[in-house]
Amino acid sequence: MAASNHPLPPGFVGPNVYFGLRYIPKFADSPWDINATYEPLTIVSYQGNSYTSRTFVPAGIEISNTLYWAPTGNYNAQVESLREQVNLNTSSIQQLEDDIANIPAHTLYASKSENFKADIESGKYSTVIVDKDVEIAETVNPPSGTTIRGAGGKIIARGVTPFKPTGSISLLTTIPGQVAYAASSATVLDASGIRKGDSLYLLGSESLINNPNIPDEWSLGSGTASITSAPLTANVVVNNVSDNVISFAPEIPWYMGANVGVYKWSPAKNVVFENLEFDVEALLSIQFIFADTCRVSNCSFKLKGPDGYGAIMAVSSTNLRISSNQVTIADTVAPTYYNNNYIRFTGCNRCTIEGNDLSHGGQPIDITFNSVAGVSYNCTVACNKIDALTSGMTVHPGSFACTIANNIIYTKGQGIFARCRNHVIIGNSIFGNGASFGIVSSEGFGSGIIVTGNLIYNFEAALSLGGLSDNRGFAKNFTYTFTGNTMQKCRKMCVIYQGENSVNARIVLQNNHWSESLAASSFETVVDMQGDPAVTVIIAGNTIYDLPKLYLNDGANNSTILVSDNIISALTAVLSNNAAPVPNIKLRNNVIYSQPAIPDVFAYNYGELPSKGVAGDVFVTSDGPQIWYSNAWHPLTV
């Protein structure tokens, strides 16, 4: 190849040498200095961060001048982020270690426990297996999350309650203003200690019992004579906190008044007793205090001791379930009335008693209130078998909106006491011994009760309203519905007591079926008025037959009675047993007749038909059936 005719540039040293601006960054030998000059792509450090020059930098140019310098390493923020991440990781590791340390250890077996009480209360065991007999000399308080399960061993106790799961409440603040029915928010004095999601226990300062300040629709009157107060309580969960206004759910189920205490609710939670056998001579076998979502199931309680001993009691608790247990007491014990409450809820809500077999007790199930725990509400008693020496079960005056359903009750006293307000009694079978009452709604000014679909057999009366011997009576605007029930061998459908506040009381006896006489020689009575109450009674759509003698009413001088659309068959049917004609009784579209070939049928109001009827009314007298049309009674040819 011929030599090039073009001369090389001065200083040329080879074909691969580049002359121009820097393209590889260079680190400065010392931190940034405002008096120094810098070539392009020079990296300097300043106050822990790094900067790279964009071009030639003359002396006197600030590091913050972005025409000359570009931040390329924010090490302070990075280091701080790393520091925060390390702290977070350290905290997470510590929390994990704490969680691991608090995880209950392996299952505790009673056969391997040297100190049963201490081992359970240590909280190390989530499951306790009773595989041998355990004698308990001092009450055990199982912590939340503990399951105690039977596996061949018994729980034996004498003079001490074996188990008592116990939570606590602590006062946070108060609600100075009125807390009305169905409230879902309230203004508190100080909400600083309340957070979203907190469980609160609201404790009223006013009582439903004999309180003139309580609206009529909530007043209970006197329930049990020895108890004159019952504070109102409610369990709620906080949805939101804004300044001093808290919102919560569920809604308050009643009027609570002013100066309501707001407590932090710290319950004993998720404590379970199952498949255990109790051999106890003590006041109780299990007692829950401030408990939530606990359960007693498939346990056997063989109680011993004097009158007043029971199996399970809950105080100020919620969401408990007592199910499929068997309870009995020694035959030598003779229970009386409310003693031997096998299962008692006091001041509880949303609790369930279901599928238990309870025998030989006195009022084996009791839902009640007291002056400390407050009232009970929204409890359910369902599908239990009860064999009681006194009354079957009771819902006391300080108890609201309970459901009593599909129970089978054998009793030597009353069947079901259902007092207070808004209960539903449905589908129960109640068997008596020819005395007392099947269902009693006395005391407590009960109202809004619905009794439907029950079988009531062999009682003096299927239903008793308004009182026993003390005539505590009804609330103002009292309503009561008795419908769709079947009665056999009952002497009366309903007994109504005068009571002390029978104002605007309305009682409906409708679509019931009543047959068979309790005693062939006695008069049966549809409505028996005691003390001449001033109430309105509607007797409608009932089927009554195979009764030898029947009064439609007895003692109704001050009441208004509408008898409508009934079918009645009796050898003797008498409108009233009053000493004088009933002024306020009206008959509408009834058919009253005898069985065929029985000639001595008569139905009359002291020998007289009602003065007026409605077209189509049929009324049978000693002269034969009469029908009302064209504004007069006319003989009816059958």
Side-chain angles (χ1 to χ4, degrees):
M1 179 181 293
S4 173
N5 294 324
H6 300 285
L8 295 173
F12 178 75
V13 294
N16 296 320
V17 177
Y18 170 75
F19 287 87
L21 297 176
R22 180 183 303 282
Y23 64 91
I24 299 176
K26 171 187 176 182
F27 287 93
D29 296 330
S30 60
W32 172 75
D33 183 354
I34 194 171
N35 296 314
T37 60
Y38 296 95
E39 296 179 4
L41 296 181
T42 300
I43 300 173
V44 298
S45 64
Y46 177 68
Q47 293 185 350
N49 298 318
S50 65
Y51 299 82
T52 301
S53 58
R54 298 177 182 271
T55 184
F56 289 101
V57 181
I61 301 298
E62 292 287 348
I63 195 73
S64 59
N65 190 328
T66 57
L67 293 175
Y68 292 89
W69 295 104
T72 52
N74 190 353
Y75 295 115
N76 285 338
Q78 294 174 20
V79 169
E80 184 61 28
S81 175
L82 288 173
R83 182 179 292 110
E84 291 178 359
Q85 187 63 45
V86 169
N87 290 338
L88 180 61
N89 290 342
T90 301
S91 176
S92 298
I93 292 170
Q94 182 61 50
Q95 182 64 50
L96 182 60
E97 291 176 347
D98 291 343
D99 290 344
I100 292 173
N102 290 326
I103 291 176
H106 299 295
T107 299
L108 172 68
Y109 288 84
S111 59
K112 297 180 180 180
S113 175
E114 296 182 0
N115 189 326
F116 192 71
K117 171 180 169 64
D119 285 342
I120 291 178
E121 292 182 350
S122 70
K124 294 180 180 179
Y125 303 97
S126 61
T127 303
V128 179
I129 304 297
V130 181
D131 58 343
K132 75 163 192 174
D133 290 357
V134 178
E135 294 189 19
I136 295 181
E138 186 178 354
T139 298
V140 179
N141 182 359
S144 294
T146 302
T147 295
I148 302 177
R149 181 179 300 129
K154 295 180 183 179
I155 299 296
I156 302 171
R158 300 291 182 262
V160 62
T161 297
F163 298 107
K164 189 181 291 186
T166 303
S168 64
I169 58 174
S170 56
L171 182 64
L172 297 174
T173 184
T174 60
I175 303 172
Q178 297 285 333
V179 179
Y181 167 65
S184 59
S185 65
T187 301
V188 300
L189 284 178
D190 180 8
S192 60
I194 302 175
R195 300 289 182 270
K196 181 179 179 179
D198 282 354
S199 295
L200 302 180
Y201 180 76
L202 306 183
L203 179 61
S205 62
E206 296 195 57
S207 171
L208 290 182
I209 307 297
N210 292 332
N211 186 344
N213 298 321
I214 296 293
D216 289 339
E217 62 268 27
W218 297 108
S219 175
L220 293 184
S222 176
T224 301
S226 61
I227 297 178
T228 57
S229 68
L232 295 165
T233 62
N235 289 86
V236 298
V237 176
V238 178
N239 290 330
N240 189 52
V241 181
S242 178
D243 295 327
N244 284 332
V245 178
I246 61 172
S247 60
F248 45 75
E251 295 178 344
I252 301 300
W254 39 53
Y255 168 88
M256 293 191 74
N259 300 315
V260 173
V262 180
Y263 291 79
K264 183 175 179 59
W265 169 250
S266 303
K269 196 167 185 178
N270 296 320
V271 179
V272 176
F273 301 90
E274 60 185 17
N275 304 323
L276 291 163
E277 183 176 349
F278 288 82
D279 182 356
V280 175
E281 186 175 343
L283 183 61
L284 294 165
S285 296
I286 302 172
Q287 183 175 16
F288 296 97
I289 302 175
F290 296 125
D292 183 13
T293 321
C294 296
R295 176 168 57 87
V296 182
S297 63
N298 297 302
C299 293
S300 172
F301 298 85
K302 296 179 180 178
L303 309 179
K304 301 176 181 178
D307 201 16
Y309 282 45
I312 302 165
M313 180 176 182
V315 179
S316 298
S317 296
T318 185
N319 297 312
L320 305 187
R321 180 172 291 274
I322 313 299
S323 62
S324 303
N325 302 286
Q326 185 178 43
V327 187
T328 188
I329 197 166
D331 291 339
T332 55
V333 177
T336 57
Y337 247 119
Y338 54 83
N339 293 323
N340 288 121
N341 294 145
Y342 287 165
I343 303 171
R344 177 187 287 188
F345 291 160
T346 303
C348 295
N349 64 84
R350 296 185 290 275
C351 295
T352 299
I353 302 170
E354 182 179 36
N356 301 281
D357 187 347
L358 313 175
S359 62
H360 198 70
Q363 206 164 275
I365 295 176
D366 191 342
I367 299 176
T368 187
F369 71 105
N370 66 29
S371 57
V372 177
V375 299
S376 294
Y377 61 97
N378 289 350
C379 292
T380 299
V381 179
C383 302
N384 300 282
K385 178 180 176 293
I386 301 171
D387 190 351
L389 295 182
T390 57
S391 59
M393 65 157 293
T394 187
V395 180
H396 270 93
S399 305
F400 283 84
C402 294
T403 299
I404 304 170
N406 300 319
N407 300 281
I408 299 174
I409 299 174
Y410 299 90
T411 177
K412 293 180 174 60
Q414 289 83 14
I416 297 174
F417 273 100
R419 295 162 283 189
C420 201
R421 294 179 181 273
N422 303 330
H423 305 308
V424 175
I425 305 171
I426 182 171
N428 302 280
S429 298
I430 310 168
F431 301 91
N433 66 346
S436 198
F437 309 122
I439 295 174
V440 181
S441 292
S442 66
E443 311 170 307
F445 290 12
S447 184
I449 295 176
I450 297 174
V451 180
T452 184
N454 302 280
L455 169 63
I456 305 171
Y457 184 88
N458 200 23
F459 286 93
E460 169 70 12
L463 177 66
S464 172
L465 300 178
L468 292 173
S469 59
D470 50 11
N471 290 342
R472 289 175 183 152
F474 312 118
K476 294 179 181 178
N477 303 313
F478 173 95
T479 62
Y480 201 102
T481 302
F482 186 82
T483 181
N485 302 284
T486 298
M487 296 157 287
Q488 291 180 273
K489 290 187 176 296
C490 292
R491 187 164 172 264
K492 302 171 184 178
M493 181 183 290
C494 180
V495 178
I496 301 174
Y497 290 84
Q498 178 174 354
E500 55 193 22
N501 284 303
S502 301
V503 179
N504 297 328
R506 185 175 183 270
I507 299 162
V508 177
L509 310 174
Q510 187 173 27
N511 298 334
N512 301 289
H513 181 90
W514 181 15
S515 65
E516 295 188 61
S517 172
L518 180 62
S521 61
S522 66
F523 261 98
E524 271 63 26
T525 307
V526 177
V527 179
D528 181 8
M529 306 289 190
Q530 296 287 324
D532 200 10
V535 298
T536 297
V537 182
I538 298 172
I539 304 170
N542 301 283
T543 301
I544 303 172
Y545 69 96
D546 286 346
L547 302 181
K549 301 177 182 180
L550 179 69
Y551 292 130
L552 292 183
N553 71 89
D554 188 359
N557 291 329
N558 289 321
S559 294
T560 298
I561 299 180
L562 173 63
V563 184
S564 172
D565 299 289
N566 301 281
I567 300 174
I568 300 172
S569 170
L571 301 185
T572 301
V574 180
L575 179 62
S576 176
N577 190 36
N578 291 13
V582 179
N584 297 314
I585 188 167
K586 300 177 181 178
L587 284 83
R588 299 284 187 270
N589 300 322
N590 300 282
V591 176
I592 304 174
Y593 60 91
S594 72
Q595 297 180 5
I598 298 178
D600 58 340
V601 176
F602 59 96
Y604 61 90
N605 185 8
Y606 296 95
E608 300 177 2
L609 288 168
S611 59
K612 292 183 179 181
V614 172
D617 278 359
V618 175
F619 201 73
V620 181
T621 72
S622 56
D623 296 325
Q626 304 285 315
I627 185 170
W628 179 271
Y629 62 89
S630 299
N631 295 317
W633 290 103
H634 301 272
L636 175 65
T637 301
V638 179

